[in-house]
Amino acid sequence: MRGSFEEFVTFYGTPHRSLLVGSIGYCTLMIGLRANPAVFGVLVTLAALAVSWRASGTSTSERTPAVALLTLVALSGVLNDFRLVGFVAAAAVVATPLITAIGNKNSPRLFQQALRVMVAWLPASLTAASLTILAFRESSSVGLLLSVVYIHDLGLGLGMRDHSRRHWAPFFGISGALALLWTSIQISASPISPGWFWPFALLVAAAIPLGRIITRLVSSEAGQDLQKFSSYFLVTPLWVSAINFLFA
């Protein structure tokens, strides 16, 4: 039983060597958020490209479609319109198999490559676009989300460094994230009222782990790169939807 849980922790966890990259990315995004929402949008798009670059293939020709679609959808968030992002994303989803089919006549491989391209660009681009739009409307909630996810990944990564305590790593990550969320709400550093702590706590505690697990399951070949961004993939759209519901 313990062996199975340790295998899950290894599957779920963040390699501690990724902590430096994550810290640099977090600081860069926070600086961009303080500067300007449009600047933040460009920076978060570059971050999404960095983790998705190798996910869609091994050659430049294989990676180009995913990079182009990711950039298009992610940067559409700079226009601050959720409906526009949805329209662009839907068009990109339809275009993905058509673009993949160019020069690829093998039907089984076509499906696999189209799925690989979709996994490479869709979650990262929607995450980037959602964060960008929210930065225009409620930047403090974006900063809080970035900080909550960063603390989660930091606790998870530090827990993974010590083999004797690595089975506690997921607990360290979630506990740190919830502690930061609770503190920010109590000192009024976020727009979320104290009465909404538990709904947001449940959202964070469920969505971050599920996002990481789903990402690893659907992107096994490129999980190492996408895993650096995977904590955002599910919690971001839910967080953005909740903030819009509260402050619409």
Side-chain angles (χ1 to χ4, degrees):
M1 186 71 176
R2 182 182 177 86
S4 299
F5 183 71
E6 289 185 353
E7 289 179 3
F8 167 76
V9 171
T10 302
F11 170 81
Y12 174 83
T14 297
H16 62 81
R17 60 181 174 274
S18 299
L19 294 180
L20 178 60
V21 175
S23 297
I24 294 173
Y26 168 74
C27 293
T28 303
L29 291 178
M30 291 298 287
I31 292 171
L33 184 62
R34 291 182 63 86
N36 183 278
V39 172
F40 173 78
V42 173
L43 290 176
V44 77
T45 298
L46 292 175
L49 286 171
V51 299
S52 300
W53 168 247
R54 293 190 297 176
S56 59
T58 56
S59 65
T60 302
S61 60
E62 290 179 328
R63 294 169 179 169
T64 299
V67 168
L69 293 171
L70 188 154
T71 304
L72 178 65
V73 175
L75 289 181
S76 66
V78 175
L79 299 177
N80 192 17
D81 188 335
F82 278 115
R83 288 174 295 183
L84 176 63
V85 171
F87 175 79
V88 173
V93 168
V94 173
T96 297
L98 301 178
I99 295 174
T100 307
I102 299 175
N104 191 347
K105 305 301 183 182
N106 189 326
S107 296
R109 176 171 169 75
L110 174 61
F111 174 78
Q112 294 175 359
Q113 183 61 20
L115 181 61
R116 188 174 184 179
V117 170
M118 190 86 71
V119 169
W121 73 262
L122 183 59
S125 65
L126 291 180
T127 297
S130 298
L131 287 174
T132 301
I133 293 177
L134 191 58
F136 279 98
R137 304 182 180 190
E138 187 55 63
S139 61
S140 61
S141 64
V142 176
L144 177 57
L145 176 60
L146 292 176
S147 299
V148 164
V149 174
Y150 172 70
I151 291 299
H152 168 272
D153 289 355
L154 182 64
L156 183 62
L158 291 176
M160 294 291 291
R161 297 182 67 174
D162 188 345
H163 184 75
S164 63
R165 294 185 299 176
R166 67 187 311 175
H167 57 282
W168 289 102
F171 175 77
F172 291 154
I174 291 296
S175 297
L178 295 181
L180 176 62
L181 177 64
W182 183 84
T183 302
S184 68
I185 291 175
Q186 295 304 313
I187 65 175
S188 300
S190 81
I192 303 170
S193 65
W196 282 93
F197 167 73
W198 284 111
F200 275 88
L202 290 174
L203 186 155
V204 167
I208 291 180
L210 283 176
R212 295 182 65 86
I213 292 170
I214 292 171
T215 302
R216 290 299 296 266
L217 290 175
V218 302
S219 60
S220 57
E221 295 182 15
Q224 188 66 37
D225 284 337
L226 289 178
Q227 191 73 357
K228 298 173 184 176
F229 210 56
S230 62
S231 294
Y232 290 95
F233 287 160
L234 185 57
V235 73
T236 298
L238 295 177
W239 180 280
V240 171
S241 299
I243 293 294
N244 279 332
F245 172 77
L246 289 178
F247 301 102

